[in-house]
Amino acid sequence: MTLNDKIYKWLDDRFKLSELLPPIVKHPAPLNVVSNPLYCLGGTAFLCFLILVITGIFLAMYYKPTPAEAYKSVEHIMTAVPMGSLIRSVHHWAANTMIAAVMLHMMRIYFMGAYKKPRELNWVVGISLLLITTTFGFSGYLLPWDQLAFWATKIGTGIAGSIPVIGGYISLILVGGNDIGAETLTRFFAIHVMILPIAIATLLGLHFMMVRIQGISGRL
Amino acid sequence: MALIEVEKHEVEEEQKPEPVRVRGLPFFPHFLLREVVVMCLIAGGLIMLASIYPAGLLKPADPFDTPSPIYPEWYFLYVFGFLKFWTWDLGPIPAKMIGVTVPMVLWYGLLILVPFIDRNPSSDIRKRKVAVTLGVIVLIGILYFTYFSIVHH
Ligand code: HEM
């Protein structure tokens, strides 16, 4: 018995690996999923999300969400922290790629009619994921606290604020006062690193569970 | 993603009295290897992009100095584009209200309802002429408003 066998047996005795693994390991991936790269888009979005979580955690170790410190801390990340510039830039590119992948994924679902019965609710969950993903982008945009961040957020919250009926509340909740300032920055930070990650993790769980229960549409 | 697809497959097969053999790539090691290769390519691509075009940082925020032009992220450009494009009041409804409501509230409302509006059960693209045509029109519209927001700055 090799060491590998021993470890396997030890785990098997406790977790019934020999029952759990074969269905995962042995079963073929359907040919249309294997041969059509359009089916990769959801997975690409998910991979980007994982990269964002990892790089985001590193950024959060150096970032300081106050008007006095935010810009300086990002500058510090870009110039002084080892690999800091790479980590922030990968975060930036993974974010943009994720949004592009989510949009293309949605277009594949739409044009292939993959939202039809029984997958209606997964489409609804998908649209919520799209909203969350773009809100991630919007809230992250303010954090560096540079000219672009400040003014784009000012205009963005202004537009959201002029939505009839609910706009006033949205802008009050987002801005936390009359003008973009310290309150806004801490709010956007909390939204970006706490609220949205929890929301997206929950919805991704639902999304993947539904795909698992219902299967990929249009299989042979 | 591979895990999800393949595991599901198993569930479906179990319900049938005789497992149907589906032609495909065995998950382990072939499919998994391919997944890992694709993931490495994407990760490599991101690192390359990040090294060639690092994330930018302008001057510190200054509430008293409005820069120009101010661009939002590219995926919000179409909202700005539509807001600039739509200059017509509709009866008592001011143009600006339409300009913000259509690309956000109405657009997402319609999107969420897609499976409930489109009751055509076919997923054959040739039998879905209306849905596909509408989809293409909306896509061209979004691209156009994105373009509009850049040109009319
Ligand atoms: C964070 C964003 C998202 C992630 C990570 C994600 C991930 C995935 C993955 C991995 C699959 C398996 C099949 C594939 O990759 O094509 C899938 C399927 C699906 N997704 Fe998404 N998705 C996201 C957003 C969306 C959006 C915006 C929509 C549509 C509005 C959507 C609707 C669906 C539907 C209906 C399926 C089932 C497709 C089928 O059975 O053929 N998802 N998603």
Side-chain angles (χ1 to χ4, degrees), chain A residues 38-43 45-46 98 102 105-106 108-109 114-115 119 122-123 126-127 129-130 133 200 204 207-208 211 215-217, chain B residues 1 5:
Chain A
L38 289 178
Y39 288 86
C40 282
L41 291 164
F46 187 56
M98 176 170 178
V102 170
H105 171 63
M106 182 171 95
R108 145 157 123 80
I109 306 292
Y115 53 81
R119 300 187 176 77
N122 217 8
W123 170 272
I127 297 296
L129 283 169
L130 175 70
T133 314
I200 201 169
L204 280 178
H207 197 60
F208 294 156
V211 174
I216 296 289
S217 66
Chain B
M1 73 207 105
E5 286 153 11

Side-chain angles (χ1 to χ4, degrees), chain A residues 42-60 86-98 101 136 192 200 204, chain B residues 36-50:
Chain A
T44 304
F46 187 56
L47 175 64
C48 288
F49 173 68
L50 295 181
I51 294 176
L52 285 164
V53 171
I54 298 169
T55 50
I57 290 174
F58 281 114
L59 291 175
L86 183 68
I87 296 278
R88 174 164 176 254
S89 303
V90 168
H91 196 76
H92 172 91
W93 280 105
N96 283 288
T97 310
M98 176 170 178
F136 255 120
H192 192 79
I200 201 169
L204 280 178
Chain B
V36 171
V37 169
V38 172
M39 291 202 279
C40 290
L41 285 179
I42 295 173
L46 288 177
I47 293 176
M48 214 171 76
L49 275 171

Side-chain angles (χ1 to χ4, degrees), chain B residues 4 21 25 34 56-57 59 66-67 74 97 104 112 124 129 131 138 142 146 151 153:
Chain B
I4 294 157
R21 287 200 47 164
L25 211 56
R34 243 186 50 161
L57 188 64
K59 281 182 286 172
T66 316
W74 56 270
M97 189 182 282
M104 300 206 286
I112 283 201
D124 180 349
K129 294 219 167 65
V138 166
I142 290 189
T146 303
V151 176
H153 216 287

Side-chain angles (χ1 to χ4, degrees), chain B residues 50-104:
Chain B
S51 333
I52 303 176
Y53 305 103
L57 188 64
L58 304 181
K59 281 182 286 172
D62 179 355
F64 304 104
D65 167 27
T66 316
S68 128
I70 308 162
Y71 283 112
E73 297 267 59
W74 56 270
Y75 38 86
F76 292 125
L77 283 174
Y78 79 97
V79 179
F80 282 63
F82 187 83
L83 192 60
K84 289 223 180 75
F85 172 83
W86 192 273
T87 48
W88 306 280
D89 299 342
L90 283 187
I93 315 173
K96 191 180 172 205
M97 189 182 282
I98 298 170
V100 296
T101 313
V102 170
M104 300 206 286

Side-chain angles (χ1 to χ4, degrees), chain A residues 19-37:
Chain A
E19 281 173 37
L20 284 173
L21 283 184
I24 302 173
V25 168
K26 290 223 179 86
H27 273 270
L31 261 191
N32 65 339
V33 174
V34 173
S35 55
N36 187 341

